Amino acid sequence: MTVVPRIDLDRKVPDLPGLRLQGVSHSFGTIRALADVSLAVVPGELVCLLGPSGCGKSTLLRVAAGLEPLQKGSVVLDGCAVAEPGYAVPPERRGVGLVFQDYALFPHLDVADNVAFGLAGMDAGARAARVREALESVGMLDSLHAWPHTLSGGQQQRVALARALAPRPRVVLMDEPFSGLDARLRESIRDDTLHVLKRSGAATLMVTHDPEEAMFMADRIAVMREGSIEQDDVPLRVYGEPATAFVARFFGQLNEIATRIAGGSAPTPFGPVSAPGFADGAGVRVLIRPEGLRLRADPDAACPAKVLAARLLGRSSWIHLCLGQAAGEGADDHSHFHARVPGRFLPAEGDVLGVELDPAQVFVFPADTPI
Ligand code: ATP
């Protein structure tokens, strides 16, 4: 176990920079919100906590911020413990910048005073300069003396980010910061926010329930389920090598086939899928991403499928397929599948296409694995 000092800026431990949560558990009465969660975010890194509603994301963020009293475990900032059972540094002394979904700007203060709020210890000149610098970094310098109610949601969120970053925090914590914005605004604000945070060098922990947003923002994604972290890894591996069926499923609709291992592989209507580590006869769940079904105009292919419907979704097309009775030997569920094809691909209803699997988009898990 690593022993860390309590907060004392003269006694920083240089090999523990950024934010560390160690063995954090938290309950609300009989509800277990967090179960022994450990997570680290290093300076300059952005980690997304991703998971469905109620899995404990906000509770973990609030414990890190000091807004929720710590029950078990510890919170360590730059090598100094700021929370252990029986010891807590108050939120305002943790040097943490907070950004929430509802912006939370003070309505009775103009933009400049909102951003200056956390800079109490500075002399007036340095404070004014820091306010301008923070607002400039989010493209809001022109609104220095505007009142919050005269700003759009996106502008208010930029000011909230400037306010969080103005004191140059070591750690930034953000809870669903873009979910109050409409889809187009969300894309541009999160793009800007990513660059501002990267320039700041802060260790950032951000909560989201949107997998695409996590992929867009994160250097690392920690997928949570029922108070625990199910997988903590770079986005490429969380998406491409999901540790559990739950993680795979969280990134979008999947084709699912229940089958049994035979000869070291999982038989499917599309052919056998490699399944190392499973015993012959074991029940498994084969999960195939819709983009893992490759379609070709070849009715004589080994695996033909009939088109039930095809829809253009914008950047991709969504094809409903039926394999028919004969094609599914060895599998329990083989009637209706979905394929996603990049761009515009709209075969006619009733067309017969050849289907092949992209092995990189196919995952095999035990049949009893929770989803
Ligand atoms: P959401 O995305 O909906 O905000 P979440 O993943 O952030 O969900 P939390 O808000 O951390 O989840 O909640 C985790 C669990 O703790 C849930 O079962 C929730 O109902 C419960 N919970 C959270 N805050 C409280 C509270 N103040 N009192 C009682 N139960 C709470």
Side-chain angles (χ1 to χ4, degrees):
M1 194 178 93
T2 314
V3 177
V4 293
R6 289 182 170 185
I7 193 164
D8 176 347
L9 296 180
D10 296 329
R11 291 200 299 140
K12 275 189 194 170
V13 179
D15 61 343
L16 288 177
L19 168 68
R20 270 170 196 257
L21 300 157
Q22 293 174 338
V24 174
S25 295
H26 201 90
S27 297
F28 297 99
T30 56
I31 298 171
R32 187 136 206 238
L34 297 171
D36 194 20
V37 175
S38 295
L39 182 73
V41 189
V42 300
E45 188 182 36
L46 198 156
V47 174
C48 278
L49 284 176
L50 174 69
S53 184
C55 70
K57 309 180 295 291
S58 295
T59 304
L60 190 62
L61 201 83
R62 289 172 60 79
V63 167
L67 300 171
E68 200 65 63
L70 182 88
Q71 294 172 353
K72 189 163 178 240
S74 61
V75 180
V76 180
L77 289 179
D78 277 355
C80 299
V82 295
E84 296 169 331
Y87 172 77
V89 175
E92 64 278 8
R93 286 201 50 229
R94 293 192 182 188
V96 165
L98 301 175
V99 183
F100 294 102
Q101 175 184 348
D102 57 4
Y103 328 131
L105 298 180
F106 303 114
H108 61 290
L109 299 180
D110 69 8
V111 163
D113 286 343
N114 260 284
V115 176
F117 188 78
L119 304 173
M122 299 174 81
D123 72 61
R127 201 169 155 182
R130 186 72 74 80
V131 167
R132 293 179 72 86
E133 177 194 302
L135 283 170
E136 188 161 30
S137 76
V138 298
M140 287 296 292
L141 194 50
D142 290 349
S143 302
L144 195 63
H145 297 300
W147 292 96
H149 72 272
T150 66
L151 302 177
S152 70
Q155 290 171 322
Q156 289 186 49
Q157 195 57 306
R158 286 176 197 269
V159 174
L161 182 64
R163 185 178 61 181
L165 291 175
R168 298 191 183 147
R170 298 166 287 164
V171 170
V172 174
L173 303 173
M174 306 202 293
D175 195 348
E176 302 270 10
F178 313 117
S179 57
L181 307 173
D182 70 56
R184 267 182 55 202
L185 197 54
R186 190 157 56 225
E187 279 183 16
S188 71
I189 302 263
R190 70 187 181 191
D191 187 75
D192 293 347
T193 302
L194 176 62
H195 298 304
V196 170
L197 287 167
K198 283 288 169 185
R199 276 200 302 273
S200 80
T204 303
L205 185 60
M206 178 182 129
V207 163
T208 179
H209 63 270
D210 177 351
E212 198 181 308
E213 183 162 289
M215 298 286 283
F216 184 93
M217 295 293 287
D219 297 303
R220 259 184 32 241
I221 298 175
V223 183
M224 290 188 70
R225 176 175 162 267
E226 295 180 1
S228 298
I229 291 178
E230 194 112 339
Q231 186 169 7
D232 174 1
D233 212 329
V234 295
L236 191 68
R237 273 201 292 274
V238 173
Y239 187 82
E241 298 167 38
T244 63
F246 173 84
V247 173
R249 175 65 74 77
F250 201 74
F251 282 86
Q253 195 176 334
L254 296 164
N255 297 293
E256 187 173 330
I257 299 164
T259 186
R260 286 193 181 279
I261 300 294
S265 59
T268 79
F270 310 103
V273 169
S274 162
F278 288 96
D280 266 13
V284 293
R285 196 183 282 224
V286 179
L287 303 177
I288 307 167
R289 291 203 194 283
E291 48 274 36
L293 293 181
R294 290 185 183 144
L295 308 182
R296 278 184 301 124
D298 177 9
D300 300 323
C303 180
K306 195 198 275 187
V307 174
L308 297 176
R311 299 280 184 272
L312 180 65
L313 301 184
R315 274 165 262 175
S316 64
S317 303
W318 187 259
I319 321 295
H320 300 254
L321 298 164
C322 177
L323 288 188
Q325 297 304 313
E329 262 173 58
D332 300 321
D333 176 7
H334 51 266
S335 58
H336 190 161
F337 293 88
H338 297 116
R340 187 193 293 276
V341 180
R344 186 177 182 280
F345 178 74
L346 298 172
E349 192 178 313
D351 277 4
V352 176
L353 303 172
V355 186
E356 269 176 20
L357 282 187
D358 171 3
Q361 310 265 14
V362 183
F363 314 108
V364 183
F365 293 104
D368 56 0
T369 188
I371 287 217

